[in-house]
Amino acid sequence: MLKQYKVWDAPTRVFHWVNFVSVILLILVGTLMLYKKDLGIVSLDAKIAIKELHVVIGYVFVLNLMIRLIWGFIGNRFARWSAILPGAGFGNTVSAYIASIRRGEPQQFLGHNPLGRLAVVFMMLLLMSQAVTGLIRAGTDVYYPPFGSIFAAQVAADGVDPATIKPYDKTGTDATKYKALKEFKHIYGEVHYYTFFVLLAMILLHIFVVVRAEITEGEGLVSAMFSGRKILSKEPEDIHDGTR
Ligand code: HEM
């Protein structure tokens, strides 16, 4: 007996697909940055232009992420952090879900299943890390907002207008301050770089799991992110939950 439920509200769906497209573009441009030498991109102007393109896409990504973080407090009950973040009794919920999979009768949920909730939380943390470290590096590398003017003012030599400081050009900078900024920015680049690979692995896992669930369990997880509606064959475990 199949029953259809309205689950994902429009802002959650818009977030999901804007996030999907912007992250894919960031991955593509980021990969271009990583392998620029192998791809024959050697001119400084081209390197800076690619970085600037990455940052501009990054702004769309960050804005979308910030809206989603806020929507988690005002959206419908499935969009809320209270339904996603693990709370009291979560361990039992996970065990019951895993046991139901082992029995070959997986429990069904209107919102995310318990393992999906863990995956969402982990991916959100990775995305937030990329957002923060990316914005800092946008400031230190190409002097772009929101921190660029602060970093330009930090490296400018005495009496030099920070607005005249150009990326990858030491003209007008103070050598000691320039070196200090280089040391400061290093760790953010490292975190951005390693998080990229973890995120990539999570994205591949996420796509594999939802497509597999769509095919084998017929819950319509992928289609639900377009239509907002899930089609379930049994009573969902979270049907009576106000918040979880
Ligand atoms: C899911 C989101 C993102 C992914 C997957 C991603 C991916 C990458 C990758 C692969 C690199 C190359 C790393 C390297 O050259 O060492 C990179 C560098 C960079 N990213 Fe992102 N990025 C993301 C978000 C952002 C955002 C939101 C911004 C800023 C608005 C940003 C700004 C930068 C900057 C300035 C660099 C150059 C810094 C460096 O060379 O280490 N990124 N990113």
Side-chain angles (χ1 to χ4, degrees):
M1 192 199 60
L2 295 176
K3 211 169 159 194
Q4 188 166 277
Y5 303 87
K6 179 93 186 68
V7 178
W8 307 122
D9 53 24
T12 303
R13 284 178 279 149
V14 171
F15 159 77
H16 181 270
W17 294 114
V18 172
N19 188 57
F20 179 82
V21 173
S22 58
V23 170
I24 296 286
L25 291 175
L26 286 165
I27 288 174
L28 290 176
V29 182
T31 307
L32 198 63
M33 278 151 70
L34 280 179
Y35 298 102
K36 53 187 181 290
K37 272 201 196 111
D38 306 299
L39 294 163
I41 304 168
V42 284
S43 96
L44 186 61
D45 283 349
K47 275 192 230 173
I48 295 174
I50 296 172
K51 213 166 252 195
E52 286 174 340
L53 173 65
H54 185 81
V55 171
V56 171
I57 304 166
Y59 287 149
V60 176
F61 159 80
V62 172
L63 189 67
N64 188 50
L65 185 61
M66 282 168 62
I67 294 172
R68 178 63 183 94
L69 292 177
I70 296 167
W71 194 246
F73 296 101
I74 50 183
N76 79 3
R77 77 170 168 106
F78 305 106
R80 290 190 177 225
W81 297 121
S82 52
I84 296 171
L85 293 172
F90 184 69
N92 293 337
T93 312
V94 175
S95 310
Y97 180 59
I98 293 175
S100 76
I101 298 174
R102 292 220 172 106
R103 281 197 309 274
E105 297 164 348
Q107 292 176 333
Q108 295 189 340
F109 292 84
L110 287 173
H112 298 290
N113 70 48
L115 295 180
R117 284 166 64 187
L118 283 179
V120 170
V121 172
F122 187 46
M123 281 198 285
M124 280 289 175
L125 289 174
L126 295 172
L127 295 176
M128 285 193 275
S129 167
Q130 287 306 77
V132 172
T133 52
L135 287 175
I136 292 174
R137 289 292 304 233
T140 57
D141 287 34
V142 282
Y143 305 117
Y144 264 46
F147 307 115
S149 54
I150 300 172
F151 294 130
Q154 256 174 37
V155 293
D158 291 343
V160 172
D161 177 4
T164 61
I165 306 285
K166 299 265 175 301
Y168 297 93
D169 184 347
K170 290 184 181 163
T171 315
T173 65
D174 176 292
T176 316
K177 293 174 180 169
Y178 196 87
K179 191 164 166 272
L181 185 68
K182 209 170 170 185
E183 279 161 14
F184 164 82
K185 75 179 191 177
H186 178 74
I187 183 69
Y188 298 99
E190 292 286 288
V191 174
H192 201 75
Y193 174 78
Y194 289 109
T195 306
F196 163 68
F197 291 105
V198 181
L199 188 61
L200 206 56
M202 278 307 291
I203 292 170
L204 293 176
L205 180 71
H206 172 69
I207 294 175
F208 172 77
V209 171
V210 292
V211 171
R212 189 180 148 279
E214 174 101 16
I215 296 165
T216 60
E217 290 164 30
E219 273 192 34
L221 287 189
V222 180
S223 23
M225 262 306 158
F226 288 103
S227 66
R229 287 182 289 275
K230 266 192 185 178
I231 300 162
L232 303 184
S233 55
K234 18 180 166 170
E235 175 156 287
E237 300 294 318
D238 51 348
I239 184 113
H240 300 301
D241 295 7
T243 51
R244 280 176 296 162

